[in-house]
């Protein structure tokens, strides 16, 4: 049997866990499915933590909180557009920018847990009109574009 060559990183699993948590709440008819999948993700995270001797730090926790926050705001914006509530181009630009912050934060998590060989280099910056969404954690880590 052939072995897989591409497995999700710790950051990918944390991201997926954050998104599934939103889905469990906002798609109640699939609550059990998402709960099971989150349990599986937790299992795999535990293995990665043990195998990689990943240490919990304040910086790692903050990165995870920011990632969850970005996913939540992206979810709300995309939901509005899907429902036709708001077709504002500014909302689309903001969502695109927040996804860039999300990608940079995932890179921070990858650095923190020793997965810097799996960085995402497509991390568009926030437009200047969304400066309020820039997070100081990225400035401190040297990851935020000017």
């Amino acid at each position: 049997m052939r072995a897989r060559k591409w497995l999700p990183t710790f950051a990918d699993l944390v991201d997926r866990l954050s998104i599934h948590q939103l889905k469990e709440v906002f798609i109640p008819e699939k609550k059990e499915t998402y709960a099971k999948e989150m349990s599986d993700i937790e299992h795999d995270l535990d293995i990665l933590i043990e195998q990689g001797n990943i240490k919990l730090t304040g910086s790692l926790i903050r990165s995870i909180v920011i990632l969850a926050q970005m996913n939540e705001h992206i979810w709300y914006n995309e939901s509005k557009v899907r429902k036709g509530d708001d077709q504002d181009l500014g909302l689309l630009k903001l969502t695109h920018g927040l996804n860039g912050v999300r990608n940079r934060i995932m890179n921070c998590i990858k650095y923190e847990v020793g997965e810097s060989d799996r960085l995402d280099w497509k991390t568009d910056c926030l437009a200047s009109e969304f400066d309020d969404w820039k997070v100081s954690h990225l400035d401190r880590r040297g990851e935020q574009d000017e």
Side-chain angles (χ1 to χ4, degrees), residues 62-110:
R62 185 170 178 197
S63 292
I64 291 169
V65 168
I66 293 167
L67 178 63
Q69 181 186 29
M70 293 303 116
N71 280 332
E72 182 175 16
H73 287 290
I74 290 166
W75 177 279
Y76 285 131
N77 288 350
E78 288 179 350
S79 292
K80 285 181 181 180
V81 172
R82 280 190 199 104
K83 289 179 184 174
D85 291 348
D86 193 346
Q87 299 298 319
D88 180 8
L89 182 58
L91 191 60
L92 179 61
K93 285 182 177 178
L94 174 60
T95 300
H96 183 75
L98 295 179
N99 195 54
V101 173
R102 176 180 160 265
N103 289 336
R104 285 192 195 94
I105 285 295
M106 287 181 61
N107 283 347
C108 288
I109 294 169
K110 289 174 185 178

Side-chain angles (χ1 to χ4, degrees), residues 114-119:
E115 297 174 336
S116 59
D117 59 328
R118 299 276 303 273
L119 299 178

Side-chain angles (χ1 to χ4, degrees), residues 16-90:
R16 182 57 40 203
L17 184 64
S18 168
I19 293 167
H20 272 47
Q21 185 59 60
L22 290 166
K23 288 179 176 183
E24 181 187 41
V25 171
F26 294 117
I27 307 173
E29 63 275 11
K30 297 290 185 183
K31 186 182 229 31
E32 293 79 21
T33 299
Y34 291 118
K36 166 69 171 96
E37 289 176 5
M38 286 188 291
S39 179
D40 292 345
I41 292 169
E42 289 175 29
H43 172 268
D44 287 1
L45 284 168
D46 287 342
I47 291 171
L48 290 175
I49 290 166
E50 183 179 326
Q51 289 176 347
N53 196 27
I54 295 173
K55 304 262 188 274
L56 188 61
T57 66
S59 178
L60 181 58
I61 292 169
R62 185 170 178 197
S63 292
I64 291 169
V65 168
I66 293 167
L67 178 63
Q69 181 186 29
M70 293 303 116
N71 280 332
E72 182 175 16
H73 287 290
I74 290 166
W75 177 279
Y76 285 131
N77 288 350
E78 288 179 350
S79 292
K80 285 181 181 180
V81 172
R82 280 190 199 104
K83 289 179 184 174
D85 291 348
D86 193 346
Q87 299 298 319
D88 180 8
L89 182 58

Side-chain angles (χ1 to χ4, degrees), residues 3 6 15 32 49 87 101 115 120-121 131 135 137 143:
W6 188 266
D15 183 56
E32 293 79 21
I49 290 166
Q87 299 298 319
V101 173
E115 297 174 336
D120 183 352
W121 298 107
D131 279 344
V135 291
H137 188 57
E143 294 287 321

